[in-house]
Structure formats: structure tokens, C-alpha cells
Amino acid sequence: MSKSEIGLLGLGTMGAALALNIADKGFDIAVFNRTTQVTRDFAKDAGDLAQRITPTENLKDFVAAIATPRTIILMVPAGDPVDQQIAALRPLLDDDDLIIDAGNANFHDTNRRAAEADGKPFLGIGVSGGEDGARHGPSIMGGGPREAWDRVAHILTAIAAQHDGTACATWMGQAGAGHFVKAVHNGIEYADMQMIAEVYGVMRDGIGLDHTQISDVFATWNNGPLASYLIEISHKVAAASDSLTGAPLLSVIRDAAGQKGTGRWTAIEAQHLAAPVPAIEAAVAARNISARTELRAQGQDLFGAAPVSLNGALEIDQLEQALIAGKILCYAQGFDMITRASDDFGWALPLPDIARVWRAGCIIRSVMLDDMATALTENPDENLMFSKRFAGDLGENHMALRQVVAQAALHGLPMPALSSGLAYFDAMRTARGTADMIQGQRDYFGRHGFTRLDRDGTDFHGPWAD
């Protein structure tokens, strides 16, 4: 019996979908799951693809079913389960066998695992697109030795999403580079979702549109500059009805957003890198606030409900323009963070390729990413908001963002992500801001003197006059 070209361990939702995708693209695959019945059911339900799938019921048989040098994809929960599976597999593997962690790992863990591999091939790859992406074509961000990526690239590019004939899968850099890029992707995803939710709130509570009307607005926007997966599904979610009550689905969904922590990792790492990502930080905070349902109810009882009607103060077109500006600013922050990480970690992260990989398959795919890839190709060292294309878009749309944020504030409509994006925009176009006061305060209570620019533009350190 011929052996499989690749193996996959972990047949949860994502693992099962990815295994079927691999088999569907013509590769023989061995599979294993800790719960034997899960493996049996997976193979039984694989239909015509079952002929390419070798189910196994213990690790030894799993390893033996894969052709050497072996390649094994781990699709298990992030954290300790990954370390446990690596520890269980290593004694059964040859030194040139490749382990790939394709879960939602923290890139620091991937860095550690790469070091612990002690020269044995190890990749950490970010996989975005959810279950549907895993089954039909995800966006794949690889990290680890380039030679290890090249060894398995023919499979990963075959199963990835395609955009204009180009696979949305590429190598990002050494060690945890792939998982880092995936984390920033998820941070941008948090912010994009939050900004959409904020304009949804304005339409619902400020303008008084019903869910069908809101759905129609999103459908219209999805034919313009905001065309993206998230706008597309927002249209569908707003139009959906609850199967039990017949009421609009959004009216019965619990008003508390869940999170798996990847957006939080991005916000935390941004602080370590001194990379400003206020839209992402605001989105993480908004999810945390949403979970405080009892405290929010207490606030409403004490102060009254916040949202009040806008009474015609805003038009739908202004919301679209505000969202365009907010999206550009959010992505500019994300790519700036990637640039800072590239410098700090010595990764030489390929910004244009990252934009291209995100054009299909992943959650944040949008038509804007084509222009972002072009802008980053022309000048990868330039902040996206300063590029010719996006500077023009911001010039056309930032006044609408300003009006939307202002009217939302006046009418009690919370808008943390869009307002933080506006503050970022204004701070980034102000050559002399107000940090002199902060530094003056620090110098005063430190009593160590003050730092100012001398006449020739160099730093000069002098004493306090008092």
C-alpha cells in the first residue's frame, strides 16, 4: 500500500475541513484524532475523497502511514495541547520530518518551539478563513526555515485561496513570523468588525432604520469601495430571521461579543513594539465592555439610555465615507505595526505579499487590499495613509468621519474604533502636538532637568530654572 504524502493530526472543525481540502486537491493524506470515533466518522463521511484518506487509530500507525521525509500538520487548540502533541510525536519521527503548527498560536510560543526543535524542521503557519476557508481555500501565512516552507509549498499553495490566479499563501519569515502576521490580521479583523458595528448602531438607533433597510445599505456598500467579506456577511446577518421566533436575528442575539484572544495579543504586542494601533485597542476594549452586561444595565438605570435620535443630522452616504476613512486608518495602523516588528525581530516581513495573501480566503479580504498591495510595492517604507492613493481617499472622506464621530458623541452613540481612528489621523498630521507638556511634566517631577532642541536642531539637556 502506498503511503500518504502528508499527515494531519486533529480532526476538529478546522482540521477536518483542511484535511478534506488537501484530499480534494489530489494529495493522499493520513489522519489521526485522539478520539478514535472522530477519526472513523470523518473517514466514513468523506464520500469520494475517502480513497485519498488513510484513517489511523494510534500515533505509531499515523506516523508509519506517511511517506518519508514526513510532513505532519497539527490542528489542535493553541497552547499546551500543541506542546503535548509535539512531545508525543518527536520520538516517533526522523530528524528530517517536518512538523507544522497550523493553529492559532501566539507567535512567542512559535518562536520558542522553533528554538526547541534544535534544527529539526518546524513551521508555524497562520490559517485564516474559518471552516469554509479551510475547506475551500484559506489564506496561509508561513513562518520558519525557508527550506521547510519550500518543501511543502506545493501543497499549501494548492489548497490556498486564489486571487486572479495567484495563491494566497506565502512565506513570511523565520520562526513565529507567520503567526505574528496572522495575529495582526486578527487585530485588524477586530477593528473592522467593530467599525461596522458602530455604523450599524447609528443606522439602528440614530437614524431609526429597521433591519431590512440596514441590510439593503450594506448590500449597496458591498458594490462600492467597501466591498469585502465582512460587509457582505453584515448584509446577510442583518437580513436574517430567527428560526424560532421569526424576529430579526440581530434582535435576539445576546449583546455581548465573544473573543478568542488573538486581537488582545495584537494590542499587547503593539505596546511592546511602541506601535500605535488605537483602532485595534479600541475594538478589544469594546468587546470587553460588551461582556459587562450587568454593569451596562446599571449605568442605563443610573444615567438613562445613551442613544438618542440624530434627527436627520447624518446621511447614509456620510456613514459610508466615514467607514472608508476608518478602514484605511485601521489598515495603516496594522501595516505600520508589521513594519515595526520586522525591524525589531529582523524578519524582513514582505508587506506587499502580506496584502496580496489577504486578498482572498481570509476574514478581512476586501477590494481595498489590491490597491494596498500596489501602494506597498511602490513604497513599502511609507505609511499607507501617506501613499498617493490613500492620502487622496482620506482627503475626500475624513470630514465625513469627523461629522459622524461628532454627531455620534453629541447623541450618545458609542463609537470607540472610528473615533480613535480620527484621533490617530489628526495626531499623524500634526507636526507639533502636545507631548511637550507631557515631557515637561515628566522632567519637572523627575527634577533631572529638561530636554529641548538646541538652535542647531540637536538635543540639549539643561537644568530647571527654579
Side-chain angles (χ1 to χ4, degrees), residues 156-215:
L156 297 180
T157 54
I159 67 172
Q162 304 288 315
H163 182 85
D164 291 341
T166 301
C168 294
T170 197
W171 180 74
M172 300 296 172
Q174 296 292 328
H179 277 138
F180 176 85
V181 172
K182 174 59 161 56
V184 177
H185 164 284
N186 285 19
I188 293 172
E189 175 187 321
Y190 272 48
D192 209 345
M193 293 171 72
Q194 176 63 30
M195 291 186 293
I196 292 170
E198 288 170 13
V199 298
Y200 157 72
V202 172
M203 288 189 281
R204 184 192 66 186
D205 300 325
I207 300 178
L209 300 186
D210 62 32
H211 290 91
T212 299
Q213 292 170 318
I214 292 170
S215 175

Side-chain angles (χ1 to χ4, degrees), residues 136-367:
H136 300 291
S139 171
I140 298 176
M141 296 144 268
R146 180 59 191 256
E147 58 272 20
W149 169 266
D150 289 343
R151 181 169 133 187
V152 75
H154 66 290
I155 297 178
L156 297 180
T157 54
I159 67 172
Q162 304 288 315
H163 182 85
D164 291 341
T166 301
C168 294
T170 197
W171 180 74
M172 300 296 172
Q174 296 292 328
H179 277 138
F180 176 85
V181 172
K182 174 59 161 56
V184 177
H185 164 284
N186 285 19
I188 293 172
E189 175 187 321
Y190 272 48
D192 209 345
M193 293 171 72
Q194 176 63 30
M195 291 186 293
I196 292 170
E198 288 170 13
V199 298
Y200 157 72
V202 172
M203 288 189 281
R204 184 192 66 186
D205 300 325
I207 300 178
L209 300 186
D210 62 32
H211 290 91
T212 299
Q213 292 170 318
I214 292 170
S215 175
D216 290 343
V217 170
F218 283 130
T220 300
W221 288 354
N222 200 44
N223 291 316
L226 289 173
S228 63
Y229 174 70
L230 286 173
I231 292 292
E232 176 190 341
I233 65 170
S234 297
H235 150 63
K236 293 177 180 178
V237 170
S241 299
D242 176 47
S243 59
L244 295 178
T245 65
L249 181 64
L250 286 171
S251 68
V252 298
I253 289 179
R254 185 170 181 265
D255 182 36
Q259 56 183 312
K260 295 180 179 179
T262 49
R264 187 186 303 122
W265 292 347
T266 309
I268 292 170
E269 197 58 39
Q271 293 297 324
H272 290 305
L273 292 168
V277 291
I280 295 172
E281 292 171 348
V284 173
R287 292 199 187 195
N288 292 337
I289 291 171
S290 77
R292 306 292 295 275
T293 52
E294 293 183 2
L295 198 62
R296 289 161 50 205
Q298 182 181 348
Q300 179 168 312
D301 290 342
L302 183 61
F303 299 112
V308 296
S309 173
L310 289 167
N311 293 318
L314 288 176
E315 301 291 335
I316 296 297
D317 287 350
Q318 289 175 294
L319 295 181
E320 181 183 24
Q321 291 178 284
L323 202 51
I324 290 170
K327 190 180 184 78
I328 293 169
L329 293 165
C330 167
Y331 278 74
Q333 293 166 32
F335 278 106
D336 182 59
M337 180 177 173
I338 291 172
T339 299
R340 295 298 295 267
S342 191
D343 293 341
D344 276 26
F345 301 134
W347 280 337
L349 294 167
L351 269 68
D353 288 343
I354 292 170
R356 293 186 186 101
V357 163
W358 289 348
R359 291 182 301 179
C362 68
I363 304 301
I364 64 171
R365 59 186 184 265
S366 72
V367 296

Side-chain angles (χ1 to χ4, degrees), residues 393-457:
D393 285 345
L394 284 172
E396 293 175 5
N397 294 299
H398 80 87
M399 285 306 299
L401 175 60
R402 200 172 301 282
Q403 286 292 330
V404 168
V405 168
Q407 291 299 329
L410 288 170
H411 293 83
L413 293 156
M415 197 160 277
L418 284 170
S419 61
S420 71
L422 177 61
Y424 175 82
F425 174 72
D426 285 339
M428 290 290 280
R429 69 191 191 110
T430 304
R432 181 167 179 83
T434 56
D436 52 345
M437 174 56 76
I438 297 171
Q439 190 59 39
Q441 293 166 339
R442 292 182 71 250
D443 288 341
Y444 186 85
F445 63 64
R447 287 296 187 183
H448 55 66
F450 61 93
T451 302
R452 66 174 173 82
L453 290 179
D454 210 347
R455 290 182 179 180
D456 63 358

Side-chain angles (χ1 to χ4, degrees), residues 2 42 61 67 92 111 126 173 212 257 270 284 358 377 398 400 410:
S2 61
F42 171 77
D61 289 347
L92 304 174
N111 286 342
T212 299
V284 173
W358 289 348
T377 299
H398 80 87
L410 288 170

